[in-house]
Amino acid sequence: MIRFACACILALVAALPVRAAVDIQEVTSPGGIDAWLVESHEIPFVALEIRFQGGASLDAPGKRGAINLMTGLLEEGAGEMDARAFATARDALAASFEFDVYNDALSVSAQFLTENRAAAVDLLRLALTEPRFDQDAVERVRAQVVSAIRSDAKDPDKIASHTFNELAFGDHPYGTPVNGREEDVTALTRADVIEAKSRVMTRDRLFVSAVGDITAQELGVLLDDLLAGLPERGAPMPGKAEYRLSGGVTVVPFDTPQSVAVFGHEGIDRDDPDFFAAYVLNGVLGSGGFSSRLMEEVREKRGLTYGVYSYLYPMDHAALMLGQVASANNRVAEAIDVIRAEWASVAQEGITQAELDAVKTYLTGAYPLRFDGNGPIANIMVGMQMQGQGVDYIATRNDKINAVTLSDIRRVAARLLDADALHFVVVGQPVGLETTN
Amino acid sequence: MPRLPGLLLFTLSLLAAPAHADEVTSFALDNGMDVVVIEDHRAPVVVHMVWYKVGAADEPPGRSGIAHFTEHLMFKGTDAYPGKAVSEIVEANGGSDNAFTSYDYTAYFQRVAADRLDLMMALEADRMVNLTLSEADVLTERDVILEERNQRTENSASALFGEQRSAAQYLNHPYGIPIIGWRAEMETLSRQDALDFYKANYTPDNAILVVAGDVTPDAVRALAQERYGPLAPSGARAARARPQEPPQLAERRIAFADPRVAQPYVIRSYLAPERDAGDQDEAAALVYLANLLGGDGATSLLGQKLQFETRTAVYASAFYSGTSLDDTTFGLIVVPAEGVGLQQAEDAMDGVLAEFLQTGVDPEMFASLKMQLRASNIYAKDDVEGLARMYGEALASGLTVQDVQDWPDVLDQVTPEDVMAAAHAVLDRKKAVTGWLMREDVPEVTQ
């Protein structure tokens, strides 16, 4: 394909075009669980999204990887069923449950047919509230996690991002991968897994959205059935992650033909008054489209890479501005020079009115296109809740984009972009690059 | 289970699921361009796709990568829309665009607000016939595709291994050549190569238009006639006849060691029949076979035996993709557990196959797969872009709209006896390549 879809572009969470027919209802169950609902009865299924804020960052000290291992075990047996019985029951209902965990959230994504809703919800409730964590399942999933950790250790993309995070955040949970280190994971016990669940899967961190063939009243009953059995309170949040990197280069020698570089510096919080201006600015600098400055300079003019992009990465306990590029070992130094120069140029001079107008048209026009299915809408809505946005955000999001002026851009560019502070972690055998400091 | 990075993970689904026939309309323009319209009025969005019935398997000898390179160069502009104008116009309208090249097709698509469909057609129709290429653009973009090859293939031991396995699988058919091209041939691709390939293949009678979303067939027909209708067809096109496979008589075994391998695995692919127009029965049986052997890790035979009972594997799966113009492959992969060698893993895999061929299909699991199939028809309706891709891919791979719409019924009518007959026919080592991906520091004795 002509370019990679950038998996890490931050979806500035969603709002609705004036004409989109997405009507969000705020539902509170009889038992007091809040959720957002969009009723859509055209297709007889429901997409349900559940999040537990905190995610893998709630790992206890010394137990990094416990929450990830626990998440992998949620579908490996619950109630009276072992892993195989659980999977057989799920398949017989043609329901789909996905469990995943990130630094700031544990996610549960479920889809089930209207005709099987009650049975599917019963099954999911068992996974969420009565997982067995059988010792043989712990060992089986642990072996998969260890295999993944070892594979990551030989994957230049993973080495680059893991190294950057470690240098940036040290001992904070953000400094190590959610999988944990091999020695940590090997040492985890079943008791650690049980403890991990009680740290993160709790009512005080819960966010829910549902889209599809269900009424508000039915959803209320479902929420209590599914989630009332969860404990009230989880572990405390880990606290702010101090950013410890300064500008420079870290080379991680790795014998491979193409160097991968992850680069970045401190970013901007999502609730900062200048966040929208920064988001628009990055749309011009490095959002990954052909018209971005970085793509133009590094790929289109010089053919130095297949893809280069930058993105804002606000997390719950830190904020980064990051980017990535990959170039042959003998060309990556030039790619990095070009990126630094463009970063400095935009920091000093900002962008043109024409660029600002074009990116605004794109961002505001693209916005409604995200709302095109039960699954995508449920995902967007649960993200909005986690970011503390109200349903009214939807109507005003594009206005906030349109309100950004060239002087806002200049101010935020000068404040945010700092070519001297950029740190590049380069994995490969880069010619003409050495670790600084 | 957690995701295993660094591995090819095969997610199987029954992927039946065309939209209901009453939501799909198809017709042809006078110049031979096929049109498929899929209606979904839930959101004011449209996906506009043009699929050319030409891919990497249609390249001239020695010019591997030219189909994909041409795809890249299609973004270099025309007289009417010079430079990056197409992508800029799409973005200025809030849309996104991309393209992809496979063995059997090259496709271009935009996703945009429904009221911008006419503009998308104007852009796509223009570059179907008016592409201009400067020598400088071609040379720079050739560097880009070489970096793309670096990123996708050269930097990944698993991807390099996959290339070698495909080359061993196909003795004569161009499916054995990588889509992105062999590096040495890519380095010599020229502007003239691209223009020759473009002129020979980018014509309305070699293209399929798929429009999906908040549109009506009448509106699409009117717009398509206006925008694509005036384009001249190429005239008599030869049938797509690629060099075919001779009888495969000898098992092939390959071993690839690379210091970048963290997790060794054994993978075997068998030459297998694809879905053919009006004849999809055996392919349907193979879909069940793949799911029975290696669908879900906790319920499939390979998963149950190797991951749960003997603990030989951390991961085991089967894969089959039947949408293909020529013979495809049916495959198995086993990722051994710590301390288990590749020979042991392969023997365990063969043990599961032998037992399955003796004992046959488990009726409960077969019934469960049928239920999942029916459900997949419902879930698939939530993703209109996925439906559009399904039609485009099928039509570019020699199938008809009728075949796509028959597919759920063909799947539904598969019996356990059909699955066993297909298994006996396909699981023949003479037509198979068995590959070991190995760490360089831990020698394994190959057979």
Side-chain angles (χ1 to χ4, degrees), chain B residues 18-94:
Chain B
H20 284 186
D22 57 2
E23 291 151 0
V24 177
T25 310
S26 63
F27 52 90
L29 302 182
D30 291 341
N31 60 13
M33 188 171 186
D34 289 320
V35 184
V36 177
V37 183
I38 305 167
E39 290 182 77
D40 180 347
H41 299 286
R42 293 179 300 157
V45 180
V46 69
V47 176
H48 169 254
M49 297 175 157
V50 171
W51 296 69
Y52 293 97
K53 291 183 265 187
V54 65
D58 303 296
E59 293 167 342
R63 304 285 81 195
S64 66
I66 193 61
H68 170 253
F69 192 29
T70 304
E71 177 223 299
H72 274 238
L73 295 172
M74 283 283 280
F75 290 80
K76 293 298 178 190
T78 64
D79 287 339
Y81 300 102
K84 295 185 293 181
V86 168
S87 289
E88 284 169 357
I89 290 169
V90 172
E91 284 184 16
N93 284 277

Side-chain angles (χ1 to χ4, degrees), chain A residues 327-344:
Chain A
S327 295
N329 284 329
N330 62 355
R331 309 173 83 204
V332 68
E334 184 185 353
I336 286 174
D337 283 346
V338 173
I339 290 166
R340 268 212 194 92
E342 200 53 36
W343 211 270

Side-chain angles (χ1 to χ4, degrees), chain A residues 2 4 75 150 296 369, chain B residues 1 84 98 111 151 338:
Chain A
I2 185 74
F4 263 141
E75 60 182 332
R150 290 179 184 171
E296 175 67 19
L369 307 189
Chain B
M1 79 168 237
K84 295 185 293 181
N98 213 329
R111 185 182 150 78
Q151 185 169 332
E338 176 84 30

Side-chain angles (χ1 to χ4, degrees), chain A residues 320-401:
Chain A
L320 296 178
M321 182 166 187
L322 292 172
Q324 186 158 342
V325 70
S327 295
N329 284 329
N330 62 355
R331 309 173 83 204
V332 68
E334 184 185 353
I336 286 174
D337 283 346
V338 173
I339 290 166
R340 268 212 194 92
E342 200 53 36
W343 211 270
S345 155
V346 175
Q348 283 198 338
E349 293 153 33
I351 59 176
T352 66
Q353 186 68 49
E355 286 175 314
L356 178 60
D357 293 343
V359 75
K360 280 185 185 176
T361 324
Y362 169 66
L363 292 173
T364 54
Y367 196 47
L369 307 189
R370 296 178 188 168
F371 295 78
D372 73 331
N374 295 355
I377 295 171
N379 237 319
I380 290 167
M381 289 200 306
V382 81
M384 289 174 65
Q385 293 174 72
M386 290 187 76
Q387 289 165 22
Q389 292 156 348
V391 292
D392 59 334
Y393 171 86
I394 282 172
T396 61
R397 181 270 189 186
N398 274 356
D399 296 341
K400 290 174 180 164
I401 296 282

Side-chain angles (χ1 to χ4, degrees), chain A residues 1-4 75 84 90 94 140 144 147 150 152 154 256 258 290-291 296 328 361 369 372 374-375, chain B residues 1 5 71 76 84 91-92 97-99 111 147 151 155 259-260 262-263 296 298 308 314 338 379 382:
Chain A
M1 72 188 158
I2 185 74
R3 57 182 173 256
F4 263 141
E75 60 182 332
R84 285 180 283 184
R90 180 202 60 211
R140 192 172 54 251
Q144 292 169 340
S147 173
R150 290 179 184 171
D152 286 353
K154 296 215 174 171
T256 201
Q258 186 188 56
F290 275 135
S291 38
E296 175 67 19
T361 324
L369 307 189
D372 73 331
N374 295 355
Chain B
M1 79 168 237
E71 177 223 299
K76 293 298 178 190
K84 295 185 293 181
E91 284 184 16
D97 66 337
N98 213 329
R111 185 182 150 78
E147 290 293 355
Q151 185 169 332
N155 255 25
R260 295 169 295 176
Q263 174 64 70
D296 181 78
F308 283 81
V314 288
E338 176 84 30
Y379 293 131
D382 199 35

Side-chain angles (χ1 to χ4, degrees), chain A residues 53-71:
Chain A
Q53 198 151 32
S57 296
L58 297 173
D59 270 331
K63 303 290 181 190
R64 188 59 168 165
I67 287 173
N68 176 68
L69 181 62
M70 182 276 295
T71 306

Side-chain angles (χ1 to χ4, degrees), chain A residues 106-422:
Chain A
L106 187 155
S107 72
V108 180
S109 305
Q111 299 203 340
F112 39 81
L113 303 180
T114 301
E115 63 189 278
N116 291 334
R117 186 197 299 153
V121 168
D122 277 348
L123 199 59
L124 183 59
R125 175 175 48 75
L126 288 176
L128 297 180
T129 59
E130 297 178 44
R132 290 160 60 104
F133 301 137
D134 290 331
Q135 192 65 44
D136 65 331
V138 172
E139 297 313 324
R140 192 172 54 251
V141 175
R142 188 204 312 268
Q144 292 169 340
V145 173
V146 168
S147 173
I149 291 170
R150 290 179 184 171
S151 295
D152 286 353
K154 296 215 174 171
D155 176 335
D157 290 22
K158 292 285 168 50
I159 297 169
S161 64
H162 291 176
T163 304
F164 190 96
N165 290 335
E166 189 180 342
L167 294 170
F169 296 122
D171 291 337
H172 190 276
Y174 287 170
T176 43
V178 297
N179 282 343
R181 298 184 188 89
E182 182 172 342
E183 59 270 27
D184 299 333
V185 174
T186 308
L188 293 172
T189 64
R190 179 168 182 271
D192 292 331
V193 170
I194 293 167
E195 162 73 11
K197 180 174 185 298
S198 73
R199 294 178 74 82
V200 60
M201 295 180 67
T202 54
R203 294 264 304 258
D204 59 333
R205 301 275 164 69
L206 180 64
F207 297 90
V208 185
S209 70
V211 181
D213 186 22
I214 190 167
T215 65
Q217 195 187 357
E218 290 166 333
L219 179 62
V221 174
L222 182 156
L223 292 172
D224 287 344
D225 282 353
L226 188 62
L227 300 164
L230 291 170
E232 279 298 326
R233 294 210 163 276
M237 290 289 185
K240 187 169 166 53
E242 296 298 333
Y243 182 79
R244 305 167 0 147
L245 263 175
S246 53
V249 173
T250 300
V251 173
V252 183
F254 188 70
D255 192 3
T256 201
Q258 186 188 56
S259 291
V260 175
V262 165
F263 54 91
H265 57 40
E266 287 190 90
I268 184 166
D269 287 334
R270 195 185 292 281
D271 55 8
D272 190 290
D274 269 337
F275 184 80
F276 273 89
Y279 184 75
V280 171
L281 170 68
N282 184 66
V284 174
L285 174 63
S287 67
F290 275 135
S291 38
S292 85
R293 291 279 193 100
L294 293 180
M295 278 290 264
E296 175 67 19
E297 295 299 322
V298 184
R299 171 171 158 162
E300 296 299 295
K301 282 191 187 163
R302 297 177 177 84
L304 288 169
T305 191
Y306 176 50
V308 55
Y309 49 86
S310 63
Y311 56 103
L312 296 175
Y313 190 38
M315 298 170 279
D316 286 351
H317 313 296
L320 296 178
M321 182 166 187
L322 292 172
Q324 186 158 342
V325 70
S327 295
N329 284 329
N330 62 355
R331 309 173 83 204
V332 68
E334 184 185 353
I336 286 174
D337 283 346
V338 173
I339 290 166
R340 268 212 194 92
E342 200 53 36
W343 211 270
S345 155
V346 175
Q348 283 198 338
E349 293 153 33
I351 59 176
T352 66
Q353 186 68 49
E355 286 175 314
L356 178 60
D357 293 343
V359 75
K360 280 185 185 176
T361 324
Y362 169 66
L363 292 173
T364 54
Y367 196 47
L369 307 189
R370 296 178 188 168
F371 295 78
D372 73 331
N374 295 355
I377 295 171
N379 237 319
I380 290 167
M381 289 200 306
V382 81
M384 289 174 65
Q385 293 174 72
M386 290 187 76
Q387 289 165 22
Q389 292 156 348
V391 292
D392 59 334
Y393 171 86
I394 282 172
T396 61
R397 181 270 189 186
N398 274 356
D399 296 341
K400 290 174 180 164
I401 296 282
N402 281 325
V404 173
T405 65
L406 213 47
S407 76
D408 294 333
I409 293 282
R410 286 208 188 90
R411 180 180 66 251
V412 78
R415 168 187 161 197
L416 179 66
L417 302 179
D418 182 353
D420 293 334
L422 275 182

